């Protein structure tokens, strides 16, 4: 039973990680107010926004490049590895 839960959490984190990556790439090429990008932002912002707030607390005004999606992907990747070790 625990391996089923671990696998589900692993796939959920993989989907969020992929959504963050796709939203970053698409933000370079399409209008930020497009429906698909707004949907991706709605899915990924609960994971990226706390990191962005934490970064702004330490760095003051945000620089030109927003590193919060990259840090969120790094944290999610570490969590995925942790779940692989725990539930394997």
């Amino acid at each position: 039973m625990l391996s089923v839960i671990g696998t589900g959490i692993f796939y959920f984190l993989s989907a969020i990680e992929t959504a963050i990556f796709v939203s970053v790439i698409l933000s370079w090429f399409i209008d930020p107010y497009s429906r698909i990008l707004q949907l991706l932002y709605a899915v990924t912002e609960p994971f990226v926004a706390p990191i962005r707030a934490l970064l702004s607390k330490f760095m003051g005004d945000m620089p030109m490049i927003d590193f919060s999606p990259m840090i969120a992907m790094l944290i999610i990747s570490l969590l995925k590895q942790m779940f692989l070790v725990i539930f394997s």
Side-chain angles (χ1 to χ4, degrees):
M1 181 66 176
L2 284 177
S3 65
V4 172
I5 293 170
T7 303
I9 293 171
F10 179 83
Y11 285 130
F12 173 74
L13 291 174
S14 295
I16 295 299
E17 187 178 34
T18 302
I20 291 171
F21 180 75
V22 169
S23 69
V24 167
I25 298 300
L26 286 180
S27 71
W28 296 344
F29 299 108
I30 64 175
D31 181 33
Y33 299 106
S34 68
R35 284 186 166 188
I36 189 160
L37 208 51
Q38 290 297 314
L39 174 67
L40 285 171
Y41 286 157
V43 170
T44 60
E45 276 304 303
F47 299 94
V48 177
I51 297 168
R52 188 176 294 128
L54 189 63
L55 282 176
S56 69
K57 198 180 268 191
F58 288 113
M59 299 174 74
D61 291 333
M62 289 301 288
M64 292 283 291
I65 299 173
D66 184 13
F67 291 106
S68 55
M70 184 172 45
I71 294 171
M73 289 175 59
L74 176 68
I75 291 170
I76 290 171
S77 179
L78 291 173
L79 285 172
K80 284 174 30 181
Q81 293 301 316
M82 187 176 67
F83 276 107
L84 283 178
V85 169
I86 291 173
F87 292 111
S88 298

